[in-house]
Amino acid sequence: MTACAIEPTAADEDGTPQAGCTITADGCYAARLTLDGDSWFPERWTMDGPEPYAVPLPGNQPEEPGTEVQPMADGRVLIRRFADGRHNFSLLYPTGPGTGELLLGAVECPDEETRLWLLPPAPGGERAYALAVGRRTSAVWLVAGGTFGPEHLAEIPGRCSGGVWLDRTGRMLALDREVGGCTKAIVVDLERGGEVSPLLQIADGSDDRLLLADPDSGLLLIGSDAPSPGRQRLGWGVMGSTLPVRFPESLRLPECTVTPFAIQPGQVLMPESCAVALRIDGPLGSWVGVWRPDGRQVHHLAAPVGWLAGSGLWTRDGVLRLPYATDEVPCGVAELTAPEREARRATANGGTAGDAGPGDPDRGGTAAGETPGTASDSGTGGPSEPDPPEPAVAVEPVAPRPVPLGKAPLGRLVTN
């Protein structure tokens, strides 16, 4: 088997901004690669205690900048190192003043153009997976939690990217697959030998990606150019629903890149009420947006100084926890509460649901007065006008046309 000749990066091929750290699905641990002078080393954060704290896990020599780390549910940290054409996997753990290391094995790629990176933390946190993308096919590997080292689980025709878990068992994995110049989200059943089913095919020729999913409510955050050919729009849908995908005008922010990174869990059967955290990257830097499908605005909130951008998670009661690191606080977690309820009450009483504009994220964690260029896309100050109708895109389920979101067999697969 020919090994990889170049070190891949962890960045997705679609250019999605990468998070500053990786957090377990249950929010207990986080891990990141950080600097000590000019040397990189792994660091584990414990986030479920009274105060967060960090444990450095340096090895015998500095790590390379492209090294990936991922926390496990037991507090150990998975590390992927690339050396001599091989991706080597180990589990790191603290041993008093030093760092213990359990070697797991290595993965060699089938050709020199293949890239491999870790998939997002799996539910449960006992297993970890990687995606190897070649010229014509993609492979899913179990790299931690198996019996005999890394295990090849599935071979999928086409080039895949992304990676979103759709259930609480770590069985259903959504990937964005490029075939014939178009990208469509698919479901890979890891308990059926990598059986592939369509998930998101909104229109002929459109690029349809799954960005985020919540198994409790079924809420999906979607990126697609179906409503605006050649330009990606952010939309939402619900697993198993017969309703079309919606593309709210409030999620269109000129000159900004909007990336969803966390959905409020525990909202069973209430997808419209889930709070969604957005990373917003604009000319003035990065900040946090909070949005709900049943709202019509994005609330712009200032991120804490030193935010590990794109990292964070919601609690079930609607508190957004954001990890940050500064010289004074090397391991901190800020908590923000979305002002959605207050904004909705103001709107119901005939007032305006205020919103700080992209150039002026609110510093206090509550809604501020509307400014030009806010999430309502009105382009003017003063009271908000109702948004224009949200574009909805659906495809008639007539073979051999692509299967729309509402008709894809995802609901059947998840409940098996």
Side-chain angles (χ1 to χ4, degrees), residues 9 75-76 141 155 316 368:
T9 65
R76 293 184 293 181
W141 286 81
E155 193 78 20
R316 289 178 175 265

Side-chain angles (χ1 to χ4, degrees), residues 82-99:
F82 183 80
D84 300 325
R86 295 160 59 90
H87 300 270
N88 300 288
F89 297 91
S90 298
L91 287 172
L92 306 179
Y93 53 93
T95 57
T99 301

Side-chain angles (χ1 to χ4, degrees), residues 3-361:
C4 296
I6 58 173
E7 157 67 327
T9 65
D12 287 341
E13 291 186 332
D14 59 9
T16 302
Q18 296 303 295
C21 74
T22 303
I23 305 175
T24 55
D26 62 6
C28 292
Y29 293 103
R32 66 170 183 151
L33 206 64
T34 188
L35 276 172
D36 179 12
D38 295 329
S39 300
W40 293 94
F41 69 93
E43 186 177 71
R44 186 201 70 191
W45 288 28
T46 299
M47 299 176 61
D48 62 342
E51 294 289 339
Y53 64 91
V55 176
L57 296 171
N60 296 325
Q61 61 186 28
E63 306 292 346
E64 296 295 326
T67 299
E68 287 185 286
V69 293
Q70 186 172 117
M72 307 295 289
D74 60 6
R76 293 184 293 181
V77 172
L78 174 69
I79 187 168
R80 178 194 65 83
R81 300 183 178 104
F82 183 80
D84 300 325
R86 295 160 59 90
H87 300 270
N88 300 288
F89 297 91
S90 298
L91 287 172
L92 306 179
Y93 53 93
T95 57
T99 301
E101 182 169 345
L102 175 63
L103 302 178
L104 298 177
V107 173
E108 295 187 32
C109 301
D111 63 64
E112 348 183 285
E113 297 184 13
T114 298
R115 298 175 56 239
L116 182 146
W117 63 88
L118 293 176
L119 288 166
E126 297 176 352
R127 296 186 168 199
Y129 300 83
L131 182 67
V133 182
R135 283 178 284 189
R136 295 182 180 86
T137 63
S138 301
V140 177
W141 286 81
L142 173 66
V143 296
T147 306
F148 303 107
E151 300 176 17
H152 181 273
L153 299 182
E155 193 78 20
I156 305 162
R159 294 177 57 87
C160 294
S161 60
V164 176
W165 296 102
L166 299 175
D167 62 354
R168 294 293 184 192
T169 66
R171 172 182 173 179
M172 295 297 180
L173 174 67
L175 296 172
D176 302 324
R177 180 173 65 174
E178 179 187 351
V179 176
C182 291
T183 300
K184 303 290 183 183
I186 59 172
V187 182
V188 182
D189 189 336
L190 297 182
E191 290 190 5
R192 293 186 177 177
E195 179 181 285
V196 174
S197 299
L199 170 63
L200 187 64
Q201 301 190 44
I202 298 178
D204 293 316
S206 63
D207 291 325
D208 310 318
R209 295 180 171 90
L210 181 64
L211 307 179
L212 210 58
D214 174 59
D216 293 335
S217 63
L219 179 63
L220 307 177
L221 272 295
I222 294 157
S224 175
D225 62 356
S228 305
R231 183 177 58 184
Q232 283 284 310
R233 292 278 301 274
L234 188 59
W236 68 279
V238 179
M239 285 190 286
S241 173
T242 59
L243 297 176
V245 178
R246 310 292 295 187
F247 293 90
E249 289 293 318
S250 58
L251 294 178
R252 300 179 66 183
L253 302 182
E255 300 182 2
C256 293
T257 300
V258 182
T259 308
F261 66 88
I263 299 177
Q264 180 184 359
Q267 309 301 295
V268 180
L269 303 180
M270 297 190 298
E272 292 86 357
S273 67
C274 291
V276 179
L278 310 169
R279 169 181 174 173
I280 305 175
D281 296 284
L284 300 180
S286 300
W287 62 94
V288 179
V290 175
W291 171 83
R292 281 185 171 90
D294 63 2
R296 302 188 68 82
Q297 302 224 335
V298 173
H299 296 272
H300 298 268
L301 308 175
V305 175
W307 178 39
L308 305 181
S311 304
L313 73 155
W314 287 101
T315 65
R316 289 178 175 265
D317 55 357
V319 176
L320 180 61
R321 308 190 75 214
L322 302 174
Y324 68 95
T326 65
D327 292 338
E328 296 75 20
V329 184
C331 176
V333 176
E335 295 188 344
L336 300 179
T337 301
E340 188 72 21
R341 290 191 181 91
E342 289 78 2
R344 261 187 285 184
R345 279 200 295 266
T347 303
N349 292 333
T352 61
D355 207 2
D360 182 26

